[in-house]
Amino acid sequence: MKRINETDIQEILGAVQALHEAPFEYLAAVMQTEQPPLYEYVSAVEGNGLSDAERMVLLQGAVMGWHIVRETCGTGTIIDSEYLYNQLEENIDLLEERDRDLGDFDEALFSVVDESAQPVLLGFLMDYVVEQQDEYDGAISDEVVPVIVLHLKTVIESLLVDGQ
């Protein structure tokens, strides 16, 4: 599996921005066509537990992550909903275990990100989520940031299911 680095991320996102007037809308439509269960997952997970701003940040992060994986590692099979929710449960269990072991939730979250299949990409997406807190001026709560990060980790790792 290719390790995605910061240069890959910047080149891929820059290319999309250069080619499309509304890059997010374009990529979201492609993702919805190529990976419908994945798109449905990020559109519906947590139900009404996310504000509109939080849902948008989750969706934007997932679309960026999906596209970067797609461009660097290729895409495997269509990810089904059952697999996504099983992967989410594994990620929740891992985070809870790390939190118990380390006794510090933030440190536990960082360790889960650092040890992910694509730590640079997931770190980039986590930074994106944190940056969006300022952009949305308080519409994204601190408590939801780790929830969004876990869902992004679920998306990224699910895309790599074929061992790409």
Side-chain angles (χ1 to χ4, degrees):
M1 169 180 48
K2 179 184 181 351
R3 287 289 196 163
I4 297 169
N5 61 46
E6 289 184 30
T7 302
D8 295 329
I9 294 167
Q10 296 307 320
E11 287 176 359
I12 291 165
L13 294 179
V16 172
Q17 289 176 330
L19 293 175
H20 301 281
E21 237 177 80
F24 170 73
E25 290 80 1
Y26 168 76
L27 289 178
V30 175
M31 180 182 172
Q32 193 171 17
T33 300
E34 291 185 12
Q35 287 285 349
L38 189 61
Y39 187 85
E40 290 169 18
Y41 170 82
V42 294
S43 297
V45 72
E46 300 295 327
N48 293 329
L50 298 179
S51 70
D52 290 344
E54 293 161 345
R55 172 80 54 208
M56 182 55 68
V57 169
L58 171 59
L59 188 57
Q60 289 171 340
V63 167
M64 281 190 292
W66 162 78
H67 182 65
I68 292 165
V69 168
R70 177 179 175 250
E71 293 297 305
T72 56
C73 302
T75 55
T77 59
I78 294 177
I79 309 305
D80 68 41
S81 298
E82 183 178 347
Y83 185 86
L84 285 161
Y85 284 100
N86 288 337
Q87 184 67 46
L88 175 61
E89 286 301 316
E90 287 181 28
N91 287 332
I92 290 170
D93 291 345
L94 177 62
L95 180 57
E96 288 174 350
E97 177 185 324
R98 291 289 167 77
D99 188 27
R100 279 191 306 275
D101 292 347
L102 298 172
D104 181 309
F105 185 79
D106 290 341
E107 192 175 325
L109 183 62
F110 287 123
S111 79
V112 168
V113 168
D114 287 343
E115 294 174 18
S116 72
Q118 291 289 349
V120 174
L121 175 57
L122 195 54
F124 167 79
L125 295 173
M126 185 168 75
D127 289 346
Y128 172 78
V129 172
V130 171
E131 288 172 12
Q132 293 309 300
Q133 283 185 291
D134 293 336
E135 291 292 319
Y136 281 98
D137 196 28
I140 299 170
S141 70
D142 290 339
E143 294 80 24
V144 172
V145 169
V147 172
I148 293 172
V149 171
L150 272 184
H151 288 302
L152 293 175
K153 181 179 187 300
T154 298
V155 166
I156 299 305
E157 291 179 351
S158 295
L159 289 166
L160 300 171
V161 71
D162 289 339
Q164 301 166 355

